[in-house]
């Protein structure tokens, strides 16, 4: 399965009054890291990906994280992201955020390949992940 | 155990190009909801709570969420938060976000009662949760 | 012109390592406050407003703020928002954020009533503000 | 005066339901860009800068922006930031955000060099910008 490495500079505005990353921001980092993996796999950015495949997004149905070591503003952290499992219309991502050589945060995302429901365009609906996307995510 | 109900207005800026809440923002909602429960339990806001107990915060070591139904800007959602378990220096919160009567998101947080390490003030360190706080969280 | 008062609880996650509101979050507060004024003026939330008038949003073309006194987590601040000027397809909002009786932040927004360009739906385009909206904003 | 160029990838989570950058996020970009300029000028990151000079931060007293052209997720934008003026304890930054060759957003920040008030450590107080910092910002 495909793996991608994404660097993030922890900035002042990501940190809380304790001086460390405010935890929801780790999910922003993981989301960016998933997008970076797709950019590498498909050779197009998310805007073009949505147009090309006629989808609305790849929203999450399940997410989890374990916070082991805090990071602070000025740190440059490394996120190793990999596709862990691909099903018909969903897939699972693993993220490992490293501060230097230390595993600092570990996260997992389950995402769905989602379009508009033809019967009701205000509703979102899971769709089969196209075969070429599956092939590229398998690396 | 104590339970608290917290209302959140989903705003334009919380939503993504799919028109629904950008998922990391649910963790902001849950964090506010935990703070609201402490405000009710202790009768003081978080700033005063940190001063009173000499702590730096109640950071997370573990978090998880399941996204069942999306919400959009303009929605007023209800978050039912409860203390699920209290240990020596950590505790677990459960959050249920309801859109009308529908369970839309379910989340769990494990948090630690944290102060500065006397040996190294740059380091954070778990501390025993004071007995009066435990009593008030038990409701 | 219409004026509305909006209360905001400053939360932990809005503050930076200096312990005070991270300044871009004041613009989130002002944006929520503008949305609250429209909710009161039109009797419908932003989602319904976009549907009713066939617009994409009311984006900003110009914004400014003066930060006089900081606020911290736990503070409940008051935002007084008023419509200062209405032109053909744009309008100007004034926001005064008060901490107790003290003026803490002052902001101004120029916004445009925007729809999709019929000639190119990927482009946004200013549209005349409907007469009933103008009348309601005049209060 | 010193000028620095900073690249930002506009991500999905920075954009609103209109599909373009939610405007407060431009101030996050400008803040990161100011931090990047200081990193280059002083050769240390913001965490080390605060320690070295005994300050709490460089908060804003005044900010303004003009939004000319929207950007969307997937765009890589360029921010040219420069020091426009240095006074005793404050300085002014100019930011020009370019989408390709097009000026998309223009912003200005007035910031103060701030420490804790020795008379009341809960209060922040402007302090003279050290001579070596002034020299480095002058480039």
């Amino acid at each position: 399965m495909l793996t991608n490495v994404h660097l993030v500079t922890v900035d002042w505005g990501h940190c809380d009054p304790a001086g460390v990353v405010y935890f929801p921001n780790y999910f922003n980092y993981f989301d960016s890291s998933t997008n970076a993996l797709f950019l590498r796999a498909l050779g197009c950015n998310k805007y073009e990906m949505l147009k090309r495949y006629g989808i609305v997004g790849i929203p999450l149905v399940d997410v989890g994280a374990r916070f082991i070591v805090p990071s602070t503003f000025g740190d440059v952290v490394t996120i190793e992201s990999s596709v862990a499992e691909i099903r018909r219309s969903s897939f699972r991502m693993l993220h490992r955020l490293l501060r230097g050589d230390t595993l600092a945060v570990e996260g997992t995302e389950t995402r769905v390949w989602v379009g508009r429901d033809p019967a009701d365009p205000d509703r979102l609906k899971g769709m089969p992940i196209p075969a070429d996307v599956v092939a590229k995510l398998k690396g």
Side-chain angles (χ1 to χ4, degrees), chain A residues 44-117:
Chain A
C44 68
N45 70 30
K46 189 158 176 174
Y47 184 83
E48 294 153 355
M49 165 181 144
L50 301 192
K51 291 265 174 192
R52 184 190 292 178
Y53 294 102
I55 57 171
V56 173
I58 45 172
L60 289 99
V61 288
D62 195 284
V63 75
R66 216 158 51 87
F67 308 106
I68 304 157
V69 172
S71 295
T72 193
F73 52 101
D75 290 348
V76 179
V77 297
T78 302
I79 304 176
E80 297 173 359
S81 301
S82 52
V83 183
E85 190 187 351
I86 308 180
R87 279 179 279 187
R88 190 177 163 279
S89 60
S90 70
F91 59 99
R92 208 153 53 79
M93 299 287 306
L94 294 183
H95 301 286
R96 289 164 43 88
L97 185 148
L98 300 159
R99 195 189 184 204
D101 292 332
T102 308
L103 179 64
V105 185
E106 212 170 31
T108 175
E109 303 172 328
T110 308
R111 292 175 176 264
V112 183
W113 193 262
V114 155
R116 300 230 169 262
D117 187 340

